[in-house]
Amino acid sequence: MIHPVAVIGAGPYGLSTAAHLRARGIPVRVFGEPMVSWRDHMPEGMLLKSTPAASNIDAPQPGHTLGDYCAAAGIPRLVTDEDIIPVETFIAYGEWFRQKLVPELEQVRVVSVDRGSGPDAAGSGGFDIKLDSGESFTARAVVVATGLSGLAHLPPELAGAAADGPTPSGPVSHSSQHHDLRRFSGKELIVVGAGQSALETAALAAEAGAQVRVVSRGKGAVDFGAPPWDQPKLRPESPFGRAWSLWALSYYPQPYRHLPAEARHYLVRRVLGPLGAWWLRDRFEGKVGVREVERIVSAAATDGQPVLTVRTHGGRVEELTADHVMAATGYRVDIAAMDFLGHELRAGLAASRGTPRLGAGYCSSLPGLYFTGLPAASSYGPVMRFVCGTEFASPRLARHLAAAHG
Ligand SMILES: Cc1cc2nc3c(=O)[nH]c(=O)nc-3n(C[C@H](O)[C@H](O)[C@H](O)COP(=O)(O)OP(=O)(O)OC[C@H]3O[C@@H](n4cnc5c(N)ncnc54)[C@H](O)[C@@H]3O)c2cc1C
């Protein structure tokens, strides 16, 4: 019997990988809620930071770019670096891509993945997969494309005010738990962080009628990028702006996995690090307060209200209060948090600081188990944190999988 490949995830990476595998004639079953991170875990009214050229979900055949979607949907084409993409348009693009190229998507959760017992077509045991529909089956290979799911990061210093974990109705939440920011209308909100997500969420909440302060670590941490017309002309163009480093990391991620671990982890964190989009500055400045501190010492809740204890740059300790604190503190890859992967699989994976160590073709140390998107960033570089990384990842992963398990 020919077992299918299981692709877990129906965001940009899962859909793109599935399209490439299908184009090679490989039987594939694809699981997940299409574009759910974008629909439920990002704020309504958000605009993408990436430019149209850097927001294509890679397909094996032409005709499936964001521009192609706009033309098909009869909406103004998003083409130049000055065109800004509303999140709703990007979600609709993902849905259109799915209907055209991954029509068989199954909207169920994968509950567990374990090493298989019976021999598969490639002579190994494959993987035993259980779904929340109650079905079980054997897959010859598995592609983990679960993106941001389950990886929201709450810094330990904020955990004191979130004894049962962050929740939107408690004193502290994570930005991924919000979609509609109108709940903060008339309230005082502290947003912790200085990245695009923090700054855009703060601006949107202020526009929804909240009184918002951004609390960030370091001096001058809140900053915005240069508009396209002010980018340095003598440096090469990349999807993220003009710079040699961005150009190399965007178009040549192949050698990245051979760098020393220290350098790989540093670059994933620092390159394309916190910086607001150029178009956000006018919506942010004068509307959102900024409090730069040396560090947040701790957080507590008094009568359900959060109290942040901070250490200022002058060395004083102060308390900041609000109706709610939202941590816009990003996502951290941690294999331990991917609890749908069986214990034996997780324990057997070669890992580096909680992230899977991937070889050629995005294959992990366990033959047949592949990771793409965010969990691949420590092996293939920061471009894997963004949609445009599908252009590099998906064809290579599909080629490797076809050769090893096709
Ligand atoms: C606020 C914010 C703004 C962003 N803006 C941009 C931007 O402008 N441009 C850009 O390029 N990137 C942006 N990103 C990054 C972007 O989210 C990722 O690049 C992209 O979503 C990753 O796609 P993915 O397919 O890997 O995962 P996701 O889009 O997170 O999709 C994960 C999929 O996995 C499925 N899944 C998870 N667990 C299971 C399971 N057990 N069983 C079955 N299915 C499962 C989910 O249902 C979902 O379909 C932004 C991120 C955030 C948080």
Side-chain angles (χ1 to χ4, degrees), residues 9-285:
Y13 276 89
L15 295 175
S16 171
T17 309
H20 277 271
L21 291 171
R22 282 181 96 227
R24 287 179 172 271
I26 296 175
V28 58
R29 289 185 69 177
V30 193
F31 306 100
E33 278 188 69
M35 304 300 283
V36 69
S37 293
W38 299 82
R39 196 179 322 100
D40 291 352
H41 303 290
M42 298 185 196
E44 194 178 355
M46 185 185 102
L47 302 173
L48 267 65
K49 188 179 177 191
S50 55
T51 59
S55 303
N56 294 314
I57 304 176
D58 194 66
Q61 55 278 85
H64 300 90
T65 64
L66 178 65
D68 294 323
Y69 163 70
C70 293
I75 57 177
R77 274 174 90 97
L78 299 157
V79 187
T80 74
D81 284 3
E82 290 172 47
D83 290 328
I84 301 167
I85 310 164
V87 72
E88 290 74 19
T89 302
F90 188 69
I91 294 167
Y93 165 49
E95 286 282 356
W96 175 83
F97 185 101
R98 167 184 89 86
Q99 279 161 22
K100 290 190 74 175
L101 297 179
V102 195
E104 76 285 19
L105 173 74
E106 298 173 56
Q107 298 195 31
V108 293
R109 275 191 74 74
V110 171
V111 180
S112 65
V113 180
D114 291 289
R115 251 189 224 276
S117 35
D120 75 350
S124 79
F127 298 87
D128 287 340
I129 312 265
K130 286 202 180 81
L131 307 176
D132 70 357
S133 60
E135 185 194 342
S136 301
F137 71 98
T138 302
R140 70 170 94 169
V142 172
V143 179
V144 177
T146 49
L148 312 176
S149 311
L151 301 180
H153 172 66
L154 185 75
E157 58 271 21
L158 294 181
D164 300 323
T167 71
S169 53
V172 173
S173 62
H174 187 270
S175 54
S176 62
Q177 297 174 310
H178 298 278
H179 176 62
D180 181 354
L181 297 171
R182 282 173 300 184
R183 69 185 300 145
F184 296 114
S185 177
K187 301 253 169 68
E188 277 186 50
L189 175 68
I190 287 177
V191 177
V192 175
Q196 169 71 3
S197 168
L199 306 186
E200 191 173 13
T201 299
L204 284 164
E207 287 163 4
Q211 200 184 323
V212 191
R213 256 178 309 170
V214 161
V215 174
S216 68
R217 260 189 327 183
K219 284 188 179 152
V222 172
D223 202 3
F224 298 87
W229 55 88
D230 277 347
Q231 296 265 341
K233 296 276 179 295
L234 290 175
R235 298 186 194 152
E237 226 176 296
S238 86
F240 306 108
R242 287 176 177 269
W244 285 103
S245 58
L246 298 181
W247 176 81
L249 289 163
S250 303
Y251 297 116
Y252 299 95
Q254 190 69 22
Y256 192 87
R257 66 195 167 90
H258 302 296
L259 292 173
E262 201 64 32
R264 284 187 290 109
H265 290 290
Y266 176 82
L267 286 170
V268 166
R269 274 201 326 273
R270 301 311 280 241
V271 176
L272 303 168
L275 192 66
W278 62 273
W279 43 260
L280 188 59
R281 186 189 288 273
D282 288 347
R283 287 170 54 198
F284 183 92
E285 288 180 348

Side-chain angles (χ1 to χ4, degrees), residues 305-331:
Q305 302 273 106
V307 182
L308 288 188
T309 304
V310 300
R311 191 178 156 86
T312 69
H313 287 297
R316 283 197 320 277
V317 172
E318 283 182 20
E319 289 192 341
L320 308 178
T321 57
D323 293 307
H324 188 79
V325 170
M326 189 196 297
T329 41
Y331 297 79

